[in-house]
Amino acid sequence: MVPRIARVRRRQRDLKDVWTLDLEMEDGSDLAFKAGQFNMLTAFGVGEAPISISGDPAKPGGGLVHTIREVGAVSGALARLTPGSAIGVRGPFGTEWPVAEARGSDVVVLTGGLGLAPLRGVIYSLLANRRHYGKIALLYGARGPDEILFRSELEKWRCMLDIELLVTVDHAESDWHGSVGVVTTLVPRADFDPDHTIAMVCGPEIMMRFGIAALRDKGVSDQSIYVSMERSMKCAIGLCGHCQLGPVFVCKDGPVFRNDQLAPLMAAKER
Amino acid sequence: MEGLERIVREHPFFAGMKEEFLELISSCAKNVRFEAGEYVFREGQPADQFYLLRSGRVAIQLSAPERVLTVQTVGEDEIVGASWLVPPYRWGFDAKALELSRAIAMDAACLRGKCEGDHDLGYEMMKRFMPVLIQRLHATRLQILDVYGVHN
Amino acid sequence: MDQDRARTGQISTIDTKGLQALLDVLAERGYRVVGPTLRDQAIVYDDIKTVKDLPAGWTDKQDGGRYSLARRSDGALFGYAVGPHSWKRFLWPPVQQLFRATREGDAVKVTAEPAATERFAFIGVRACELHAIEIQDEVFMNGAMSDSHYRSRRENAFLVAVNCGTAGGTCFCVSMKTGPKAERGFDLALTELVAAGKHLFTIETGSDKGREILAALPRQPAKQEDLAAAEAVVEKTAASMGRTMRTDDLHELLLGNLDHPRWDQVAERCMSCANCTMVCPTCFCMTVEETSDLAGVESSRSRRWDSCFTMDHSYVHGGSVRASAKSRYRQWLTHKLATWIDQFGSSGCVGCGRCITWCPVGIDITEEVAAIRDGRPR
């Protein structure tokens, strides 16, 4: 439970309150990770928080790229660290997205808001190994046009001829000529074979709940849907008890779960 | 018009509909197109047609002081317009084509009349329209929840 | 099995002088000797030096939301059940520093807190408490991550168990199959025999460490009548349990009834005070705290006991997942009796009854479980 020291190498503003921090370990080592995993980052003197790794698993240093939204004392302190500042790192923790299992299938990435961050590594992997997958549909929803995360990358991906990328926003002014409506409405429109698809869903819990419903309506089975859950975490190693969801610990049995395992746990409210 | 009947029959909204109903409906249909920026209908106008989009994108919009808000966009194979179904048959929103959009326009009065005359046709239309409305209601509720917002 | 040991002479008896010798030998060997003592009208676990520190002639009267001490008619040293303390306060202290961090310009140096070198000797560990320690061993040492702080205290600890001569008013170790007899996990185990003119302890060994310490004590081989008396003590205790709980169906019963109306009823009484989690010998939830000096130069992180009854326990951005008292009580009970089995291979409950005794409103988990099973509303 003791962090290693790293330094902030680069700090980039993604949105008004969202930052991407690029770190380097003080001892020069790399941090190998699988997309879906997270690190516990320490702002010394303030505290520690679980932060999604949003880098490319195939690139050195990918495991040290984190996207942080300022929502409290710790995330705020982390987001404000300037290049050269010391930062504590523990990790990587948790389970990964089924990038390997999805080979040979169509892939649907259904995400909204900040949920794109833990899935960005997946998208890099899918695009770098395009021939191993069938149809690829990336479905992304944001609150408004100003809150589209990684917009320039999304625009780049949209230009690719062999993937489908649909972006929608919940609200917009009239200068937005793209889609307006919740991200779940993209599911019926997307082109994929429900019987041979792996779906990966990440975003606010309500969005995921309805996103799963939309996928099921289209015929995707629970065994083919993967979800990333978020719970309070203090230790990330299954000891503090905070992240329990029924019998599972989200920090070590998750955060990525297959929906046939997850759905029964989510059946009762406030579990 | 034979060409129009084929277009109506092929539109996913009418998939599986009986031949006789398709014939009835086609007589209320016509082909239309809207250029980018052109209004399909405006708030307050009589809701005398509804549209089955064949291609393009239409924004459902509301005007407020110094702002125009887009509350939803409708795309290929989707329906624009529900107010034609219920009195007082007036549009509650603006609908503007964001890009060149082609549609089948259904004459509302004609179709309402045909449904009154043949209740089986009426029920068929209702069965097709209700899921669209329910899905829109659910989606709108999700929009209201503002799930991506920062909650304190 | 006891007859076998008597034949091979491995059970001995000691008197109260022998017990004092045990405390002395342990202290001489560098152990910090901790045992039951009277304080603040309760029997708590604290440092002890002599037999006089033990609560001679005292017993406890326990019921839902009630704890008081009463005088016994004999001078038994261990004539009570369990108090508000459990041994987890020593093996898993309420506050444990994890590391210190010092800022030097832009750089930060982190110094991990070394594992404790303290060696505890616990005097008077009940059978249920041995099981509780075994359960916490599973949580802290046998998973993928082993906690070095727990491990060092645990591996260095010397456990002197005591077989219960008195069942507590809220005890149900018989139902949970965790007592009243200490079967394993101890270094030495005593059974107190108090009768007219006689005050003896049968003492059996459970480990090499125990054998080594016993060899240094003045003792006699146990007589047949003392062995029989010791058996009788345990049998009498087993027959006078304060509570019972049927356990064979708990996993399905609780997890299959997450929307049972009983949860709403218990929630009306539960104040989310977290007493139950603090007195429970197996509860392990913790939180982490970072503190810093005003200059921002020195900071440290420590972990401290936490409780699933707090709103903070399940807080994520947007709100607590378990906002209602009902959901938090349900989480505690279903974890303790059901999902603990999925996670660690055994129940989390040892039937010590502390949660019943120390609940300010006397919520009784044996009653709650029975009510869900019977379907009857309160």
Side-chain angles (χ1 to χ4, degrees), chain A residues 7-11 21-24 60-62 64-65 82-85:
Chain A
R7 296 223 184 221
V8 177
R9 190 168 67 181
R10 206 161 72 108
R11 172 182 183 242
L21 291 187
D22 208 331
L23 311 180
E24 58 193 347
L64 291 164
V65 179
T82 50
S85 302

Side-chain angles (χ1 to χ4, degrees), chain C residues 333-361:
Chain C
L333 197 61
T334 55
H335 184 213
K336 190 63 58 185
L337 296 177
T339 56
W340 200 293
I341 303 171
D342 300 307
Q343 295 168 351
F344 303 110
S346 77
S347 176
C349 175
V350 296
C352 70
R354 284 183 179 89
C355 56
I356 304 170
T357 296
W358 295 98
C359 172
V361 297

Side-chain angles (χ1 to χ4, degrees), chain C residues 257-333:
Chain C
N257 281 289
L258 295 175
D259 290 313
H260 197 283
R262 185 71 190 194
W263 300 115
D264 295 291
Q265 285 152 25
V266 72
E268 279 169 27
R269 304 165 59 205
C270 173
M271 302 192 301
S272 298
C273 72
N275 263 13
C276 51
T277 56
M278 288 194 283
V279 297
C280 174
T282 63
C283 272
F284 62 85
C285 279
M286 57 143 165
T287 188
V288 163
E289 238 169 22
E290 193 113 346
T291 52
S292 172
D293 67 2
L294 284 176
V297 173
E298 295 277 338
S299 67
S300 69
R301 183 179 299 163
S302 57
R303 65 177 179 218
R304 59 175 172 80
W305 289 2
D306 197 3
S307 171
C308 56
F309 281 95
T310 64
M311 284 294 277
D312 187 63
H313 188 269
S314 63
Y315 180 78
V316 286
H317 167 64
S320 298
V321 173
R322 291 186 279 268
S324 69
K326 162 193 164 170
S327 65
R328 284 176 271 137
Y329 186 86
R330 182 183 67 188
Q331 163 64 21
W332 180 69
L333 197 61

Side-chain angles (χ1 to χ4, degrees), chain A residues 17 69 71 112-113 141-143 170-174 177-185 189 204 206-207 210, chain B residues 57 61 66-73 75 78 96 98-99 138-140 142-150 152:
Chain A
D17 57 352
R69 186 182 202 178
V71 293
R143 192 158 181 252
D170 279 8
H171 316 104
E173 308 276 323
S174 60
H177 288 222
S179 221
V180 177
V182 289
V183 70
T184 50
T185 58
R189 288 187 226 163
I206 306 176
M207 174 239 135
F210 286 93
Chain B
R57 186 182 294 144
Q61 297 183 330
E66 297 188 42
R67 323 155 63 183
V68 177
L69 293 158
T70 302
V71 292
Q72 190 191 354
T73 56
E78 296 179 329
K96 181 158 116 172
L98 293 177
E99 52 196 68
H138 284 181
T140 306
L142 274 183
Q143 270 169 294
I144 292 173
L145 280 178
D146 195 21
V147 292
Y148 306 125
V150 178
N152 288 307

